[in-house]
Amino acid sequence: MWELTALLLLVPSSGQAATLEKPILSLHPPWTTIFKGERVTLRCDGYHPLLLELRPISTLWYLGHLLLPSHKKSIEVQTPGVYRCQTRGAPVSDPIHLSVSNDWLILQVPYAAVFEGEPLVMRCRGWYDKVVYKLHYYHDGQPVRYFHSSANYTVPQARASDSGRYQCSGTMRIPVESAPMFSAKVAVTVQEARHAAAVRLLQVQSRRAPLRLGRRVHSPRARRRGAGIALVRGCYHHSQRPETQPLAAASGARFSPGRGVHHRPGPTGRGFGAR
């Protein structure tokens, strides 16, 4: 009996599997470009069933279309490419693109999406953390910030106009000061703020929904049929005056004590709509 129970726990129900969200793939340190020979850690956070199982929970790792041999929750990598992960019963995660460079200078930007109003941080790194002097940051070919030596460039509150291609330049003492060197250009996209996207979604949904609390409105279909629809709490229906008014003033009205969508008859005398 115990073995049967354990076997049932191995397989999530179809309803549970259908509602699982894709796992969150994160990168530590959070930079998408590294020097050759360096390693970073990828971590996959997703759904994990109960511990009463006959085998450990597997996490699948993908490099491009190649399935990696590890099944741990986190792995160390140094190979460039597009990484994804997947936990049992869930969809595949969003990708992280890792780049590996042999240049003396690299511009590092965060792997996670940057939204409007959030800080945008990037750093210019010399080969294996050598100090960079006379450091310039560029946005779409135009200089935007100068530092005497190594420092991060931060936009405190990013805007859509901060999207574009960034680059940095500077000198290094190897052992004497070198000529100015330039990093490769990196594309950065600042996405619309989360709350703004949510408000726009609500506006789209409100245009589709015909109901408004406390006032009479008409859906396109009901308007063609001649039905007036009101969304009220404890409402009544009167053939002469369908608008909401105090109950005492509605003599002859039929009262419904609960929430619901109530209507008056159309031209044919039949009612349209339902709860």
PDB file of all heavy atoms in Angstrom, residues 6 19 41 44 116:
ATOM      1  N   ALA A   6       3.410   6.041  -2.855  1.00  0.00           N
ATOM      2  CA  ALA A   6       4.611   6.731  -3.315  1.00  0.00           C
ATOM      3  C   ALA A   6       4.623   6.858  -4.826  1.00  0.00           C
ATOM      4  O   ALA A   6       5.027   7.878  -5.374  1.00  0.00           O
ATOM      5  CB  ALA A   6       5.851   5.984  -2.827  1.00  0.00           C
ATOM      6  N   THR A  19      -1.558  23.930 -14.565  1.00  0.00           N
ATOM      7  CA  THR A  19      -1.507  25.241 -13.947  1.00  0.00           C
ATOM      8  C   THR A  19      -0.098  25.645 -13.530  1.00  0.00           C
ATOM      9  O   THR A  19       0.100  26.744 -13.034  1.00  0.00           O
ATOM     10  CB  THR A  19      -2.425  25.270 -12.712  1.00  0.00           C
ATOM     11  OG1 THR A  19      -1.984  24.268 -11.784  1.00  0.00           O
ATOM     12  CG2 THR A  19      -3.865  25.006 -13.109  1.00  0.00           C
ATOM     13  N   THR A  41      27.160  31.006 -12.421  1.00  0.00           N
ATOM     14  CA  THR A  41      26.216  30.023 -11.896  1.00  0.00           C
ATOM     15  C   THR A  41      24.821  30.309 -12.408  1.00  0.00           C
ATOM     16  O   THR A  41      24.340  31.447 -12.327  1.00  0.00           O
ATOM     17  CB  THR A  41      26.215  30.040 -10.355  1.00  0.00           C
ATOM     18  OG1 THR A  41      27.532  29.734  -9.877  1.00  0.00           O
ATOM     19  CG2 THR A  41      25.223  29.027  -9.811  1.00  0.00           C
ATOM     20  N   CYS A  44      17.888  27.399 -11.282  1.00  0.00           N
ATOM     21  CA  CYS A  44      16.533  27.161 -11.791  1.00  0.00           C
ATOM     22  C   CYS A  44      15.585  26.995 -10.609  1.00  0.00           C
ATOM     23  O   CYS A  44      15.682  26.032  -9.849  1.00  0.00           O
ATOM     24  CB  CYS A  44      16.520  25.904 -12.666  1.00  0.00           C
ATOM     25  SG  CYS A  44      14.972  25.613 -13.542  1.00  0.00           S
ATOM     26  N   GLU A 116      10.814  50.586 -17.002  1.00  0.00           N
ATOM     27  CA  GLU A 116      10.809  52.028 -16.789  1.00  0.00           C
ATOM     28  C   GLU A 116      10.666  52.336 -15.298  1.00  0.00           C
ATOM     29  O   GLU A 116       9.870  51.725 -14.597  1.00  0.00           O
ATOM     30  CB  GLU A 116       9.665  52.681 -17.558  1.00  0.00           C
ATOM     31  CG  GLU A 116       9.877  52.696 -19.061  1.00  0.00           C
ATOM     32  CD  GLU A 116       8.723  53.361 -19.789  1.00  0.00           C
ATOM     33  OE1 GLU A 116       7.567  53.145 -19.376  1.00  0.00           O
ATOM     34  OE2 GLU A 116       8.967  54.104 -20.753  1.00  0.00           O
TER      35      GLU A 116
END
